[in-house]
Amino acid sequence: MAIVVTAASGQLGRQVVEKLLERGVPAGDVLATARDTTRLADLADRGVRTARLDYDDVDASVLSAGDVLLLVSSSAVGQREAQHRNAVEAAVAAGVARIVYTSVTNVDSPTLVVAPEHKVTEDLVTASGLPWTFLRNGWYTENYLPAFGQAAERGQVAAAAADGRVSSVERAELAEAAAVVLSTEGHEGAAYELVGQEAWTHAELAAVFADVLGREVEYAALPADTYRDVLLGAGLDEGTVGFLLAADQNIADGELGRTGDDLATLLGRAPAPSRRRCRPGPEPPGDGPGSARRAPMSQDRHRGL
């Protein structure tokens, strides 16, 4: 039996493995999996078991009866249903003890742009007959750090999110919460809304950046059509632009401003306050592939996904 972490070469999965080890879980009781196991070599050197697991062709023999499986949602937007189905079917065949799935907050919303595939996956998991826990992760704070470069260069943070609020959370805290759920009892049948206890607006984000930079930073609340032109002008493709505009509309509509105490309960402390969560680290990110606010991020902005 093991605690199995999928996508352990990714940012969230890797941090979950680290948090499990920090909590005192023996390295030999952790099985880190990825499509490319060479990216797990340093974990193997520390005694963590590793194995190849590809969502497109899941080998059920990697899993064992009694395992606790963390199914980190795939980064392949549009392909998740089939990929996650493969993983769930393998878990059933192996007889794992519990599936823990990294879903998204507000998953039942019919309009939240990232919700449908997560909702389908939750339904697949519940229909499997296996015990389950859902970690409905909020938006990553790290998704907004590329905006710091724009603020530093132009004194501006642009979005089409009006005055909507975002209850973002640090990836490390979501990883820590996952490690708690994986390594302790009493979480079967629980769906945790892992969001912050407060939410911020883009105007407040601009104010934090201004404080850090020591210069004026304004929030440019743009109409969707104008912001679309900005993003296309920065070199983003139509699909990514459409996703970002839909996400901003979700924010404007209040779909990502939900707050709650589940994360604090699992951590045993209050999550990092919004002011710290929005503050860049000592080496703020510079320009990425596309410099219009959060252009560098992938389409799945809540994922560690």
Side-chain angles (χ1 to χ4, degrees), residues 278-300:
C278 296
R279 184 183 294 271
E283 297 183 1
D287 292 340
S291 59
R293 189 171 61 117
R294 48 203 189 274
M297 74 184 66
S298 70
Q299 289 190 9
D300 185 9

Side-chain angles (χ1 to χ4, degrees), residues 181-241:
V181 167
L182 291 166
S183 60
T184 59
E185 301 295 331
H187 305 288
E188 291 185 9
Y192 295 114
E193 295 285 340
L194 300 183
V195 294
Q197 293 178 307
E198 53 185 37
W200 49 265
T201 67
H202 282 76
E204 292 168 345
L205 175 68
V208 170
F209 288 165
D211 181 54
V212 174
L213 291 166
R215 62 164 294 176
E216 182 177 346
V217 177
E218 68 171 357
Y219 167 43
L222 303 177
D225 288 346
T226 301
Y227 192 45
R228 180 179 185 277
D229 291 341
V230 170
L231 295 174
L232 289 173
L236 275 69
D237 62 85
E238 289 278 0
T240 300
V241 169

